[in-house]
Amino acid sequence: MPIHTKTRLATIMFVDIVNFSRMMGADEMKTMQLLDDFFTISTKVIKKYNGNVIKKMGDEIFAEFSSAISIVQCSINIQDKLKKYNQSASEDFCLKTRIGLHLGEVIFNNNDVFGDGVNVAKRIQPLAKPGGICVSGKVYNEIKNKSEFNIIPFGEIELKNIIDTHSIY
């Protein structure tokens, strides 16, 4: 079977559930229902903003978009929908997520995506506070003149196993 690869610029999103392992240890069935709700809510919002879900891995979604503005709007919408969802949830079993976004060159290989752009987005995601979003300097440069976004500098960060440091917002 031939391998089909294509390289292009993409905006990458990683969304991960906070405290998933703890919730699984406390009540697996309840946590699996939360996971299903998370995937349903997030996937619907990602499609609304013309994103493409690449993979669902455990309690995480890996998606790509062609627009930095769309991915940031989508991320805000996901966090808003989950906040609303959590209004009727207990503090021990709620859907709080961290989202990391990066714009970079990626390699599309069959049905998967690889490259430094993916790795940077993956490393940025844990830097976000629960219910928050962290973006790289490259995403920031695309959205910085949009008044609808409240952007706070986080600093120049050295990311694990990534050669260059990155400005994070």
Side-chain angles (χ1 to χ4, degrees):
M1 176 199 261
I3 296 175
H4 302 286
T5 60
K6 180 173 67 168
T7 303
R8 73 172 170 85
L9 193 62
T11 313
I12 302 297
M13 167 194 280
F14 278 94
V15 186
D16 185 67
I17 299 174
V18 177
N19 294 324
F20 184 78
S21 297
R22 181 197 52 75
M23 289 188 293
M24 281 295 280
D27 188 332
E28 290 177 344
M29 295 308 292
K30 192 173 192 176
T31 305
M32 290 306 295
Q33 181 58 55
L34 284 174
L35 182 65
D36 188 50
D37 293 346
F38 164 68
F39 286 146
T40 300
I41 292 165
S42 299
T43 301
K44 191 180 290 185
V45 175
I46 289 167
K47 287 180 182 177
K48 175 183 173 184
Y49 288 91
N50 299 313
N52 177 34
V53 174
I54 304 297
K55 287 184 198 179
K56 296 174 183 174
M57 306 169 294
D59 66 322
E60 184 173 64
I61 293 176
F62 168 28
E64 67 93 14
F65 293 70
S66 59
S67 162
I69 292 171
S70 290
I71 201 170
V72 173
Q73 290 171 329
C74 177
S75 298
I76 292 168
N77 196 314
I78 287 171
Q79 296 295 33
D80 287 346
K81 295 247 187 240
L82 294 178
K83 186 176 181 181
K84 186 175 182 180
Y85 174 91
N86 288 330
Q87 288 175 346
S88 61
S90 72
E91 184 62 32
D92 290 337
F93 285 93
C94 61
L95 282 175
K96 290 186 180 172
T97 61
R98 293 181 173 100
I99 300 177
L101 308 176
H102 179 62
L103 172 66
E105 286 289 326
V106 295
I107 301 164
F108 288 84
N109 184 343
N110 290 328
N111 294 325
D112 213 341
V113 182
F114 302 90
D116 193 54
V118 173
N119 298 334
V120 171
K122 177 72 174 152
R123 297 296 186 203
I124 289 171
Q125 173 271 316
L127 299 175
K129 292 180 181 177
I133 303 161
C134 275
V135 304
S136 70
K138 289 184 177 182
V139 172
Y140 169 77
N141 287 336
E142 296 296 315
I143 65 167
K144 65 184 177 187
N145 295 324
K146 306 296 179 200
S147 62
E148 65 197 88
F149 303 126
N150 181 22
I151 305 167
I152 302 165
F154 192 71
E156 194 73 17
I157 304 292
E158 202 171 296
L159 302 170
K160 182 180 176 183
N161 295 325
I162 304 295
I163 295 171
D164 297 323
T165 60
H166 286 268
S167 296
I168 306 297
Y169 298 85

